[in-house]
Amino acid sequence: MSTVQGAYPRQIVVVGNGMVGARFAEEAARLDPAGERAHITVVGTEEHHAYNRVLLSGVVAGDYTPDQIRLPVPDTPGVTVRTGTTATALDTDNRTLTLDDGTHLPYDELVMATGARAAFPPITGVADPDGTPGEGVTALRDLADCRRLLALAAPGAPVVVLGGGILGLEAARGLVGRGMRVSVVESSPWIMRRQIDQPAARILAQRYAALGVAVHSWRVAARWIPGTGLELDDGRILPGDALVVTAGVRGNTELAKDAGIEVEHGIVVDDRLSTSNARVHAIGDCAQHPGGGAGLIQPGWEQAAVLARRLTGTAPEALYTGARPLTRLKAQGIELTAFGQVHEEEDAHGLETVTISDPYGGRYAKLSVRQEKVVGAVLLGFPEAAATLAQLYDTGAPVPADRLALLQGLPTATPDQDREESTSLVCRCNAVSRTDIEQAWLDGARTREAIARRTRATTGCGGCVRDVQALLSGMQDQTNAPVG
């Protein structure tokens, strides 16, 4: 039985001070600013406060400093953040969490936001059996990894990235931006295999080659030779002073599993984000929900918002029903957006597809429509169309009759277009609509930074920066337009 006494404030302990755990605390503080309903204690292993891990490739590239990607810490009496502290054991019977400093935290509700760690493949030289990276090897999951990587390779030096998913490609773009010679190795038939189709991947690889990144798809790594490079299954050795492993992640579920909580690939949760123990909840990359969402920040933040409403009692009926993920590649000079169904055959029942392929111009677009609704798209080099199609995908609104014009970013008419545009999301990570940004403008926010402070837009993956800037420019033009 819990040692917590009294009705309010209830004691909520959050294990993990990453992007999702920090967002839960921020949401709870916003809903309960005086801390009258609940007191939140966040426990994080890292010595510093939370930061935007999505932008780590930008730190590698030199686009951001570590301070610029820090996340806000709630300055309210209802939130306490303990950094440099690791949870070591969970007692669900007595509702206590044991920390590595020997202290015990009692709780009424506990939130697991332990995230995930890099998965090192069983390749000779890459990692020890206990998961410790080999000589010259690093992941890219935290600021310590960034510092390690930049210490391993200098401008002009060769670097190999193992994994051609979105993180690997973003890391490769950041490294080549630092002046390094980069090779990417992907074991699947093409890069970003889960998010885009093969024709798009072929053009994307060409875009990367033009930047100086050599892409090796459908190749398996045989061994890492420190000081030499990565040997492939065909006998070739790619030179490398450093190996960056971006070959997947593994949820940090051990604490929950040791406490007897149901764990499969992640900590199993329902629509209430509750685990098999009703007083323990899980959100973010460590959680396994039937609707998916692990590995992306937008679903994790949505889960944090839902759970904050539930546990503060401001909306106890709130539920999380699943994710509609959208992927944006954050690589300077390359505009890529992908979402929904992109791998179905073009002759699949009831599916319409429109494709534009422009290898010379480095552009590709594929739109999938079923029953007059957008069900998927891949858009490389079509930023205007990407914004419009993402809105149609979010709202489920009918697509215009001229599909080709839609892909080309040309004006099209749709029913109730004004209403749809005003309520459509501009920043998906933070669920910020065009109306929200316009209201922030009316309230005096005149720069992107001011908009970010008011709405959080652009503070997630950064993929909406262009759209927010375009809205600001449009509103500025309207303000300066002559009257009469």
Side-chain angles (χ1 to χ4, degrees):
M1 185 174 181
S2 174
T3 58
V4 178
Q5 301 294 323
Y8 289 103
R10 301 174 72 242
Q11 301 298 309
I12 299 175
V13 174
V14 181
V15 185
N17 190 33
M19 293 181 72
V20 175
R23 174 54 66 91
F24 172 85
E26 187 182 357
E27 285 288 326
R30 182 180 64 83
L31 297 168
D32 179 29
E36 296 173 342
R37 292 170 175 254
H39 184 273
I40 314 296
T41 301
V42 183
V43 178
T45 298
E46 292 185 82
E47 294 289 343
H48 34 69
H49 287 293
Y51 52 89
N52 190 331
R53 297 177 194 271
V54 177
L55 301 180
L56 286 175
S57 59
V59 175
V60 170
D63 297 332
Y64 305 100
T65 66
D67 285 342
Q68 288 174 324
I69 66 170
R70 301 286 184 196
L71 295 176
V73 180
D75 185 18
T76 63
V79 176
T80 300
V81 179
R82 299 179 60 173
T83 59
T85 307
T86 301
T88 58
L90 174 61
D91 182 345
T92 57
D93 291 332
N94 294 300
R95 283 194 234 146
T96 57
L97 181 73
T98 302
L99 306 180
D100 59 355
D101 61 5
T103 60
H104 303 273
L105 288 178
Y107 66 85
D108 287 305
E109 308 279 350
L110 185 131
V111 179
M112 301 291 292
T114 49
R117 61 186 180 276
F120 290 96
I123 297 169
T124 302
V126 171
D128 295 338
D130 64 357
T132 302
E135 181 184 347
V137 179
T138 184
L140 191 56
R141 293 289 299 175
D142 55 31
L143 283 171
D145 290 336
C146 283
R147 289 191 289 268
R148 187 179 303 112
L149 174 56
L150 294 175
L152 286 170
V159 178
V160 180
V161 177
L162 183 58
I166 186 166
L167 178 58
L169 293 179
E170 289 176 353
R173 181 64 183 96
L175 290 165
V176 80
R178 286 270 187 176
M180 300 173 194
R181 295 150 46 211
V182 184
S183 300
V184 174
V185 177
E186 170 55 47
S187 60
S188 296
W190 63 86
I191 53 177
M192 290 186 66
R193 173 68 177 81
R194 294 181 180 180
Q195 294 88 9
I196 66 177
D197 59 0
Q198 190 166 18
R202 190 176 298 117
I203 295 175
L204 180 61
Q206 293 171 2
R207 294 285 299 271
Y208 266 78
L211 294 171
V213 178
V215 176
H216 303 271
S217 298
W218 211 221
R219 291 266 65 91
V220 176
R223 62 172 175 151
W224 168 249
I225 309 170
T228 300
L230 185 70
E231 182 179 350
L232 303 182
D233 56 349
D234 61 3
R236 283 182 297 166
I237 296 179
L238 303 179
D241 289 354
L243 177 68
V244 186
V245 178
T246 61
V249 297
R250 183 176 294 113
N252 294 318
T253 62
E254 290 79 8
L255 186 67
K257 185 176 182 180
D258 290 346
I261 292 170
E262 183 182 0
V263 170
E264 293 177 359
H265 298 298
I267 304 170
V268 178
V269 296
D270 57 20
D271 288 356
R272 298 168 299 174
L273 299 169
S274 295
T275 69
S276 57
N277 183 294
R279 294 288 187 131
V280 178
H281 315 269
I283 54 179
D285 284 352
C286 69
Q288 179 181 325
H289 184 273
L296 297 170
I297 190 54
Q298 180 198 348
W301 278 353
E302 289 175 358
Q303 291 171 3
V306 167
L307 192 58
R309 294 198 297 272
R310 289 184 61 83
L311 297 189
T312 60
T314 53
E317 77 286 357
L319 298 173
Y320 174 77
T321 56
R324 287 172 62 83
L326 179 147
T327 299
R328 281 194 174 100
L329 179 67
K330 295 170 291 301
Q332 185 178 0
I334 298 176
E335 298 271 2
L336 172 64
T337 300
F339 53 85
Q341 301 172 19
V342 299
H343 295 301
E344 288 194 42
E345 296 296 329
E346 294 187 4
D347 59 354
H349 179 69
L351 188 70
E352 304 173 42
T353 60
V354 180
T355 304
I356 299 174
S357 182
D358 177 19
Y360 180 80
R363 301 189 303 167
Y364 178 87
K366 179 179 180 179
L367 168 64
S368 297
V369 175
R370 178 175 279 121
Q371 296 180 348
E372 300 300 310
K373 293 183 179 180
V374 173
V375 295
V378 178
L379 300 149
L380 173 60
F382 290 86
E384 291 82 8
T388 302
L389 289 171
Q391 292 171 4
L392 292 172
Y393 181 65
D394 282 330
T395 61
V399 297
D402 193 340
R403 318 299 207 229
L404 185 59
L406 186 64
L407 279 180
Q408 293 173 313
L410 300 176
T412 56
T414 63
D416 300 321
Q417 186 168 1
D418 290 340
R419 179 186 61 80
E420 291 163 6
E421 289 184 354
S422 65
T423 59
S424 62
L425 295 180
V426 176
C427 175
R428 289 175 57 93
C429 293
N430 291 290
V432 181
S433 70
R434 175 173 175 171
T435 298
D436 296 329
I437 294 174
E438 290 172 344
Q439 185 59 54
W441 169 275
L442 294 174
D443 291 340
R446 292 292 187 267
T447 65
R448 181 175 65 82
E449 292 76 15
I451 292 290
R453 287 192 294 271
R454 293 288 185 104
T455 68
R456 295 177 176 153
T458 75
T459 64
C461 72
C464 64
V465 170
R466 178 191 180 105
D467 298 337
V468 171
Q469 291 283 30
L471 280 174
L472 285 175
S473 297
M475 289 184 285
Q476 185 67 54
D477 292 342
Q478 291 178 7
T479 300
N480 295 332
V483 177

